[in-house]
Amino acid sequence: MLYIVGVGSGERYLTKEAEEILNNVDLIVCYTGYKKYVERFNKPIYTTGMKKEIDRVKKALEEAKDKDVALVSTGDPGIYGLASLAFELNKDNIDIKVIPGVTACSIAAASLGAPINHDFVVLSLSDLLTPRELILKRFKLALEGDYIICLYNPISKKRKELFLEIANILKEKDLIVGIVKHAGREKEEKRIVNSKDLIKYIDFIDMNTIIIVGNSKTKLVNNKMIAPRGYLDKYKV
Ligand code: SAH
């Protein structure tokens, strides 16, 4: 059996179900950088590095023929995780169960206040697997639709261009933007800025950061970033 387990973003967000499974499997498979999050389960761990996702998933499927295996993703494995690839590569019809986890944007949002409490779009700025034009098109359409926009993978060491293009588009807008680095972890840091100034935060933002662009109704209440549901307008409170 193959469990595709989300371990949450930030150590405190591991669900009971994930904990139970990690305590009971025969093998844990994960990205080298995540080994530290699963060592405490005292299980054999197989790791592969960045860009070795296909090898990792194939190994997990192979081992799952006669063992219980947990393939671990941070946050939710079905949100920019390996869940879909595992289904796509499952030629031997291994039983696969996805165990959801608390995704980074939920944790970042809670830390900022309530910024995704209305319709929102989730977008990754990584162009490793998705063409840049498509990412930009989706971003522009989401802005046009006045959606709140959560940006995963905003920047990496080698990849800043899309962030710069998006920050340039946002220069012309007047929206509230929340930036959370290491959400839910001890070293969490956050900023709430105007979209016109987002570009100035390029050195603050890295691959452990999530950016939440507010919609036209987003406001600050006691320094918290809030997306109103509309109750006050409707009920004239
Ligand atoms: N499956 C993960 C997302 C993996 S994509 C999830 O559901 O959360 C990796 C991106 O997620 C990072 O580049 C960053 O944008 C975001 N991310 C993951 N953990 C984070 C954290 N603790 N704080 C802020 N952003 C995080």
Side-chain angles (χ1 to χ4, degrees), residues 22-193:
L22 291 170
N23 272 320
N24 287 308
V25 290
D26 306 303
L27 173 71
I28 296 176
V29 178
C30 67
Y31 163 57
T32 318
Y34 298 162
K35 198 173 166 194
K36 54 181 184 265
Y37 302 134
V38 292
E39 269 169 338
R40 68 184 174 91
F41 295 99
N42 290 320
K43 300 287 178 188
I45 302 175
Y46 175 88
T47 63
T48 66
M50 205 132 38
K51 302 209 179 138
K52 293 279 176 220
E53 290 84 2
I54 294 181
D55 292 352
R56 203 180 308 146
V57 171
K58 280 188 170 163
K59 171 79 174 174
L61 283 164
E62 186 58 36
E63 294 284 339
K65 283 181 182 166
D66 56 0
K67 288 192 195 75
D68 282 337
V69 177
L71 174 65
V72 164
S73 284
T74 61
D76 187 298
I79 300 179
Y80 309 122
L82 291 177
S84 46
L85 179 62
F87 285 108
E88 287 176 300
L89 292 177
N90 187 12
K91 304 283 181 269
D92 295 315
N93 263 328
I94 306 285
D95 269 346
I96 298 181
K97 189 167 183 215
V98 180
I99 310 300
V102 186
T103 191
C105 79
S106 291
I107 301 171
S111 174
L112 291 165
I116 55 173
N117 209 1
H118 210 287
D119 304 330
F120 67 101
V121 159
V122 173
L123 207 62
S124 166
L125 295 194
S126 169
D127 57 359
L128 274 179
L129 300 169
T130 308
R132 198 180 282 186
E133 307 73 58
L134 182 59
I135 299 172
L136 260 181
K137 177 180 169 186
R138 287 179 173 160
F139 178 77
K140 288 177 186 162
L141 287 171
L143 261 190
E144 194 187 321
D146 198 22
Y147 285 96
I148 299 150
I149 309 172
C150 298
L151 299 173
Y152 281 68
N153 296 300
I155 272 180
S156 78
K157 280 189 192 115
K158 292 196 196 128
R159 187 175 49 72
K160 295 198 175 18
E161 294 80 6
L162 258 177
F163 170 79
L164 287 170
E165 285 204 47
I166 275 171
N168 258 326
I169 296 171
L170 287 172
K171 241 188 206 166
E172 311 304 321
K173 303 274 172 188
D174 181 16
L175 297 168
I176 297 173
V177 178
I179 310 169
V180 188
K181 191 148 115 179
H182 297 295
R185 304 212 154 98
E186 253 172 43
K187 48 186 172 182
E188 177 181 302
E189 282 186 86
K190 61 189 162 188
R191 303 281 185 272
I192 297 180
V193 307

